[in-house]
Amino acid sequence: MQSKKNILVTGGAGFIGSHLIKLLVNKYPQYRIICFDKLTYAGNLENLTEVETAENYTFVKGDISSEENVAKVFHEEEVTDVIHLAAESHVDRSISNPSQFIETNVLGTTTLLNEAKKSWSSVENLFYHVSTDEVFGSLGKEGFFNEETSYDPKSPYSASKAASDHIVRAYGHTFGLSYVISNCSNNYGANQFPEKLIPLVVNNIKNSKPIPLYGTGDNIRDWLWVGDHVRAIDEIFHKGKRGETYCVGGENEWSNLDLVKLLIHLTDKHLDRKEGSSLGLIKFVTDRAGHDFRYAVNSRKLMEELSWKPSLTPEEGMSQTVSWYMENTEWMSRVTNGIYMDYYHKQYLKR
Ligand code: NAD
Ligand code: TDX
């Protein structure tokens, strides 16, 4: 394995990407880490202030769907590896505007792959594609997704991610590109954009606003702390078998209603409010179209081959996360600006 690497982290200014960059910059001073990000509504350089002056870190603004932008960064930064996280990532937005998801997630991934194919000649150069467990579809009350599960995506978001997974594998099979893919469950933690359930709920509790629960609140998600996801990416990038897939999950299933009750408990406690005083904020609203019922992931392969396991208990992780949102109110106010409020009103006001 090369010791000197110039790693392009696409989507590095987003939620998971920024946690990954902080880990890589601090842990591997011998690598150059290049954050390549278009800075859409979800990209925020404020998530990266901790590393912005680090010698082994560079930010390049660019669009993965632009051949010109991608060719330029590959050549100027002499990119040796890609960890690809740039994507449109929110299921609700994929329901209101599917085309943007095809443009970024499918065509953008293909543009990156074409440049990697053109620029690289060694199997040492790795294309790491970060994907989601949603490509496997929806589970009933029993069972788990694993690396053998057939693809059955149900939303425009998951269909676009599934397409990108297939294209990555096709470039490996057809052109010999060295790749690895991971499919992870729902992440939570600091710096997540408050369109996603956990930061949205914590922010609404704090501001005594209704907590919108889709349908009956019985849908189930497997939650993994983002710090554990980026540790898994680090392990897979360095030690994962090339041409293979790894499933990453938290063994931490919650129905949305139970999770919201836990968040109410933790947030009320943090705000010195009477236990459960925000329970009355829960508002059951019209369900998400095509709402997947349950996701659950079996991460045995990752645990056995690479000795990875989640480091935080769900209680520790959720408690730290609530504290972060309570203590970073300025971050929250800056990201919930006018554009966010337009989105929020369209998404929730008539529901
Ligand atoms: P995010 O929405 O927080 O961040 C996405 C980032 O990509 C943003 O910084 C955005 O500016 C950037 N981006 C979007 N379009 C771009 C383009 N055309 N060119 C360059 N940059 C662009 O997403 P996230 O939650 O951090 O997810 C990161 C990746 O991990 C995604 O690929 C997502 O599918 C995958 N994933 C997310 C989760 C989760 O729970 N959040 C779980 C499993 C997998
Ligand atoms: O206001 C809400 N009310 C609600 O009940 C929101 C935003 C969500 N929900 C429900 C829908 C889901 O069942 O909560 C659950 C979690 O929703 P999201 O946070 O939107 O996540 P999800 O749709 O499960 O997808 C996430 O996990 C997998 C990420 O957004 C994806 O990028 C990732 O691939």
Side-chain angles (χ1 to χ4, degrees), residues 290-309:
H291 197 175
D292 287 343
F293 174 63
R294 173 172 167 258
Y295 307 138
V297 174
N298 174 336
S299 319
R300 289 284 143 223
K301 178 176 172 182
L302 177 62
M303 289 175 164
E304 283 164 17
E305 281 185 18
L306 304 181
S307 307
W308 172 91
K309 61 176 193 312

Side-chain angles (χ1 to χ4, degrees), residues 29-71:
Q30 73 276 28
Y31 295 170
R32 239 177 107 60
I33 307 299
I34 306 123
C35 173
F36 183 75
D37 200 297
K38 186 180 172 184
L39 299 182
T40 67
Y41 76 92
N44 184 354
L45 288 177
E46 208 184 326
N47 298 343
L48 288 160
T49 41
E50 198 182 306
V51 292
E52 69 189 4
T53 57
E55 279 188 10
N56 61 337
Y57 169 76
T58 314
F59 171 71
V60 176
K61 184 164 191 247
D63 183 344
I64 57 164
S65 303
S66 156
E67 283 176 24
E68 200 186 327
N69 289 179
V70 171

Side-chain angles (χ1 to χ4, degrees), residues 14-16 37-38 40 43 63-64 85 89 131 157 161 185 187:
F15 166 50
I16 302 171
D37 200 297
K38 186 180 172 184
T40 67
D63 183 344
I64 57 164
L85 295 101
S89 69
S131 192
Y157 164 68
K161 291 296 291 187
S185 62
N187 283 213

Side-chain angles (χ1 to χ4, degrees), residues 89-92 132 134 157 186 195-197 200 212-214 219 221 256 288 291 295 348:
S89 69
H90 191 39
V91 174
D92 290 325
T132 170
E134 297 192 20
Y157 164 68
N186 287 54
E195 62 191 352
K196 308 280 166 49
L197 181 71
L200 186 144
L213 261 178
Y214 297 166
N219 299 62
R221 296 291 180 268
N256 293 335
R288 173 184 279 174
H291 197 175
Y295 307 138
Y348 293 104

Side-chain angles (χ1 to χ4, degrees), residues 146-185:
N146 66 27
E147 292 77 11
E148 311 302 321
T149 307
S150 303
Y151 276 53
D152 188 19
K154 307 279 193 198
S155 71
Y157 164 68
S158 53
S160 70
K161 291 296 291 187
S164 64
D165 292 13
H166 290 315
I167 296 166
V168 172
R169 287 197 185 95
Y171 273 60
H173 182 78
T174 312
F175 306 116
L177 186 83
S178 181
Y179 74 91
V180 69
I181 298 177
S182 55
N183 296 92
C184 186
S185 62

